[in-house]
Amino acid sequence: MNFETLLFEIENGIAIITVNRPEKLNALNKDVFTDLDDAISEVLNNEQIKSALITGAGSKAFVAGADISEFGGLNLAEAMALSKRGQDIFLKIENSPKPIVAAVNGFALGGGCELAMACHFRLCSDNAKFGQPEVNLGLIPGYGGTQRLTQLVGKGKSMELQMTGSLIDATEAFRLGLVNHVTTSENLIQKTKEILLLIQTKAPLAVGKIIECVNISVISDSTFTNGKTGYEKEIEAFGECFGTEDMKEGTTAFLEKRKAVFVGR
Ligand code: COA
């Protein structure tokens, strides 16, 4: 697929999505949102795609935030619509049944940190920097950051990071649980691909149900929970796994002491 602001390629079932505005440190403008929305739809709908990796072009930034140059003159309704647009796209990422992982290769600030946090988990390079510096602009995070940062690092640290606008480095992000792995810039994409390829050897329906159940434990938006608690959703999803070919294959393969071959049904 061709996008104006993204690079999009498929390699071994992994969609590699690269936000491609390096001259603006990959800041999220309207066009990036349109392209990202379409790219995630492609991930969801294209059967060749089993998982996705999101990163930023260049060596300096993953995404340095929402494009501040588009903020001028927005009224209340327009600003709320922008927030809703960002939240909707990031919820689409978070609720994808196919794994979507962020490979954070530099600054992940504001909307960039929020994009990374919407992914199912994150790896970063050792030069990465994370933060929600919106308060420096007289703003707050608007693409789900107040919620997801709190879920990931806890209330106290989330409050401090948002109220001070301070940036943290990769070591601190790892210590706080914001990222799962820190590696060199050179190794970041390869390491992320290795994890996705490992996940791709597992039963896809089970992976999708894990995403759904884990998300319900933290998502407060009832559109995505159908009024169910995470425990109720887990019971339902666990039961549904028993109707799949992959569950029969997985359990049979274990008993036959061979490696399971999953088909996604
Ligand atoms: N929105 C729009 N443009 C941005 C941007 C953003 N969020 N972040 C960076 N840019 C642009 C800069 O304006 C600059 O463009 P120019 O060359 O046309 O002047 C270019 O990207 C390079 O950024 P620059 O600030 O010169 O790089 P730096 O190395 O001096 O600083 C940062 C890097 C990330 C510390 C700095 O760019 C920054 O603070 N960005 C904004 C972060 C932020 O507040 N994000 C939250 C937004 S809600």
Side-chain angles (χ1 to χ4, degrees), residues 23-25 27 60 64-68 71 107 109-110 133-134 137:
E23 71 290 350
K24 294 290 178 190
L25 304 188
K60 196 167 167 183
D67 192 321
I68 299 167
F71 283 177
F107 288 111
L109 307 182
E134 289 89 345
L137 305 169

Side-chain angles (χ1 to χ4, degrees), residues 42-260:
E42 180 67 10
V43 169
L44 298 179
N45 298 328
N46 183 336
E47 288 189 0
Q48 287 179 345
I49 299 174
K50 309 296 180 197
S51 66
L53 177 167
I54 300 181
T55 192
S59 55
K60 196 167 167 183
F62 172 71
V63 166
D67 192 321
I68 299 167
S69 70
E70 289 187 343
F71 283 177
L74 294 190
N75 63 28
L76 172 81
E78 288 163 342
M80 284 177 69
L82 176 64
S83 174
K84 175 88 169 69
R85 173 92 173 120
Q87 284 198 10
D88 285 349
I89 297 169
F90 289 4
L91 277 166
K92 189 166 160 181
I93 293 172
E94 184 166 45
N95 288 297
S96 158
K98 299 178 186 178
I100 303 181
V101 173
V104 178
N105 56 312
F107 288 111
L109 307 182
C113 189
E114 291 172 297
L115 171 61
M117 292 192 295
C119 293
H120 296 131
F121 56 88
R122 290 141 292 284
L123 284 77
C124 78
S125 56
D126 46 21
N127 69 334
K129 290 244 172 3
F130 295 82
Q132 298 290 162
E134 289 89 345
V135 74
N136 296 324
L137 305 169
L139 280 172
I140 67 165
Y143 306 155
T146 60
Q147 305 304 295
R148 292 196 182 93
L149 187 62
T150 309
Q151 291 154 9
L152 285 163
V153 306
K155 184 176 170 185
K157 201 66 204 180
S158 174
M159 289 277 194
E160 182 186 340
L161 286 172
Q162 292 181 65
M163 289 196 278
T164 63
S166 301
L167 308 192
I168 55 170
D169 64 14
T171 309
E172 180 68 352
F174 178 73
R175 197 185 69 78
L176 291 172
L178 192 55
V179 297
N180 293 12
H181 302 273
V182 181
T183 183
T184 59
S185 298
E186 298 71 37
N187 190 40
L188 177 65
I189 300 299
Q190 184 54 30
K191 171 94 181 148
T192 311
K193 285 179 187 169
E194 280 167 19
I195 295 175
L196 288 171
L197 287 176
L198 174 62
I199 296 172
Q200 284 183 188
T201 67
K202 313 298 175 186
L205 291 179
V207 168
K209 286 180 191 305
I210 288 168
I211 291 170
E212 204 181 346
C213 289
V214 172
N215 278 347
I216 284 193
S217 76
V218 289
I219 289 176
S220 52
D221 187 331
S222 59
T223 334
F224 291 94
T225 63
N226 288 326
K228 290 194 175 76
T229 69
Y231 291 105
E232 287 164 344
K233 182 69 215 171
E234 185 182 283
I235 290 169
E236 184 183 288
F238 181 79
E240 284 167 357
C241 285
F242 280 70
T244 66
E245 279 181 41
D246 279 348
M247 187 271 182
K248 287 185 192 75
E249 163 65 6
T251 47
T252 307
F254 175 80
L255 295 172
E256 293 176 353
K257 301 192 186 306
R258 61 175 174 82
K259 201 167 162 35

